[in-house]
């Protein structure tokens, strides 16, 4: 019976169900095999009757011809038309497209999909880790800027205090000059004393002018320093806001990494479990096949 078979040719695959001729001469589904295409579709039930395979009606065909129509290359599709009895006595007709293949064939497809998804998850994980590194770098730079801003703020405060001390010194000098003016103005003076007084007044006037110019410059510098201090405070506020935003993004990214790691581990564990189950099933079937071959030889 094997003489006409081409050596090493790929074996045709079915759709994972067994059909038999019932008492009404209908092709009835008697069993649905585990992990086969029929079970995976979830659309075929034991007791359904086969009406057509693709465009070929099966009524009157021998079982061998029906089996030949059902079977085909792995990965190819076949369209089944089935009739399903309903409780009221009527029946409904359904169409189901199935992919031909063995359980190990579908396992290989699932393994490839799972491996692809796992690879994709690992890629996402790498992207998230890169983003996390970037956020950490931003946070470090923000910390450096914050420390630099704090130093500049302290320097500005020190400068402001120095200027305020200078203003107080200038105000004291102005008060002293005014006191001296009042002192000279109340004296009974002679010509020599008057000349001396006028000279002293001119000197005081010049000194007072210099003090007023210096005081004006000090006020300008003080306003500039105050403006710089306000800019620094605003900058510090922005940096604190940025730091809070980065910390929130770090927390969110950490949660994403945990979720991706958990999903990756779950997918990998599920995949390993499916592989082990299918290996056991294949070994069991291989043992049964070996026993059957031994009986045939005997």
């Amino acid at each position: 019976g094997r003489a006409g078979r081409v050596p090493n040719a790929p074996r045709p695959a079915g759709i994972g169900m067994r059909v038999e001729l019932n008492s009404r001469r209908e092709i009835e589904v008697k069993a649905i095999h585990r992990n086969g295409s029929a079970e995976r579709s979830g659309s075929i039930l034991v007791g359904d009757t086969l009406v057509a395979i693709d465009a070929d009606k099966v009524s009157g065909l021998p079982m061998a011809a029906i089996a030949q129509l059902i079977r085909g290359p792995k990965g190819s599709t076949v369209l089944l038309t089935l009739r399903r009895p309903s409780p009221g006595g009527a029946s409904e007709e359904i169409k189901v497209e199935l992919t031909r293949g063995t359980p190990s064939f579908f396992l290989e497809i699932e393994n490839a999909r799972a491996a692809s998804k796992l690879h994709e998850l690992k890629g996402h994980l790498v992207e998230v880790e890169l983003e996390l590194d970037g956020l950490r770098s931003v946070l470090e730079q923000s910390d450096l800027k914050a420390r630099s801003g704090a130093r500049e703020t302290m320097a500005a405060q020190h400068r402001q205090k120095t200027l305020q001390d200078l203003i107080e010194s200038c105000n004291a000098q102005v008060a002293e000059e005014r006191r001296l003016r009042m002192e000279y103005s109340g004296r009974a003076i002679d010509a020599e004393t008057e000349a001396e007084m006028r000279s002293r007044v001119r000197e005081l006037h010049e000194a007072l002018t210099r003090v007023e110019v210096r005081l004006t410059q000090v006020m300008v510098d003080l306003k500039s320093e105050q403006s710089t201090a306000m800019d620094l405070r605003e900058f510090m506020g922005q940096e604190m806001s940025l730091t809070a935003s980065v910390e929130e993004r770090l927390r969110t990214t950490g949660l994403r990494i945990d979720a991706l790691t958990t999903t990756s581990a779950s997918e990998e564990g599920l995949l390993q479990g499916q592989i082990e189950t299918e290996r056991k099933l294949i070994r069991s079937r291989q043992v049964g096949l070996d026993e059957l071959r031994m009986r045939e030889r005997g």
Side-chain angles (χ1 to χ4, degrees):
R2 299 178 182 271
R5 185 174 176 185
V6 179
N8 300 322
R11 296 180 61 183
I15 53 176
M17 71 179 192
R18 178 167 56 85
V19 295
E20 294 179 2
L21 193 65
N22 63 17
S23 59
R24 296 185 299 277
R25 309 296 295 174
E26 297 171 326
I27 309 302
E28 182 178 343
V29 178
K30 291 295 185 180
I32 296 176
H33 302 315
R34 183 172 176 270
N35 289 330
S37 182
E39 183 191 56
R40 289 171 181 273
S41 74
S43 301
I44 300 177
L45 302 176
V46 172
D48 291 347
T49 56
L50 189 59
V51 176
I53 302 172
D54 289 328
D56 300 310
K57 300 288 185 180
V58 299
S59 180
L61 291 179
M63 293 300 297
I66 293 173
Q68 188 174 5
L69 290 173
I70 289 176
R71 297 174 69 80
K74 291 180 183 179
S76 62
T77 58
V78 59
L79 180 64
L80 302 184
T81 304
L82 302 110
R83 186 176 293 114
R84 179 171 298 164
S86 61
S91 60
E92 60 173 332
E93 195 170 275
I94 60 172
K95 293 183 181 293
V96 181
E97 186 176 66
L98 300 177
T99 300
R100 298 180 177 99
T102 60
S104 59
F105 170 76
F106 292 114
L107 177 63
E108 290 173 1
I109 293 177
E110 288 184 354
N111 288 350
R113 288 175 180 170
S116 176
K117 187 172 183 181
L118 189 60
H119 180 72
E120 182 181 356
L121 287 173
K122 288 179 178 177
H124 287 321
L125 188 60
V126 170
E127 291 176 0
V128 169
E129 287 175 345
L130 290 174
E131 182 180 357
L132 183 60
D133 291 339
L135 290 175
R136 285 172 179 160
S137 176
V138 170
L139 188 59
E140 289 173 0
Q141 293 176 3
S142 177
D143 288 341
L144 290 174
K145 289 180 180 178
R147 287 194 290 270
S148 175
R151 287 193 298 269
E152 292 177 2
T153 300
M154 291 180 63
Q157 291 172 347
H158 178 72
R159 175 63 175 164
Q160 183 176 358
K161 186 178 183 306
T162 301
L163 293 175
Q164 287 175 345
D165 292 342
L166 183 57
I167 289 173
E168 292 176 2
S169 175
C170 289
N171 287 332
Q173 291 182 38
V174 170
E176 176 64 16
E177 298 300 334
R178 286 176 178 171
R179 186 189 67 77
L180 291 174
R181 281 186 181 185
M182 292 296 295
E183 182 179 344
Y184 277 112
S185 64
R187 286 182 182 179
I189 54 177
D190 53 24
E192 185 178 350
T193 304
E194 183 179 1
E196 180 184 350
M197 183 189 69
R198 287 178 179 175
S199 175
R200 179 60 178 162
V201 166
R202 282 196 301 272
E203 291 175 0
L204 290 175
H205 180 73
E206 291 173 358
L208 182 59
T209 301
R210 289 194 298 271
V211 168
E212 288 176 346
V213 170
R214 179 59 179 160
L215 183 59
T216 302
Q217 183 61 44
V218 166
M219 294 301 296
V220 171
D221 291 343
L222 180 58
K223 288 182 180 180
S224 176
E225 294 293 341
Q226 288 175 341
S227 176
T228 302
M230 290 180 63
D231 291 342
L232 285 172
R233 290 192 188 99
E234 183 179 356
F235 170 77
M236 291 293 292
Q238 293 175 352
E239 289 298 320
M240 290 176 65
S241 176
L242 176 61
T243 300
S245 174
V246 170
E247 287 175 349
E248 176 61 21
R249 289 176 65 187
L250 282 172
R251 188 186 68 80
T252 304
T253 303
L255 292 176
R256 284 177 61 193
I257 288 177
D258 292 342
L260 286 171
T261 303
T262 301
T263 303
S264 176
S266 175
E267 289 284 342
E268 191 169 0
L270 180 61
L271 176 60
Q272 292 296 334
Q274 290 179 346
I275 292 174
E276 187 60 29
T277 301
E278 292 299 330
R279 283 176 177 168
K280 290 179 181 179
L281 181 61
I282 291 171
R283 285 197 294 269
S284 175
R285 289 183 177 176
Q286 188 64 43
V287 170
L289 184 60
D290 292 342
E291 291 177 354
L292 181 61
R293 287 174 177 168
M294 291 178 65
R295 288 186 194 138
E296 288 178 352
R297 292 173 186 166

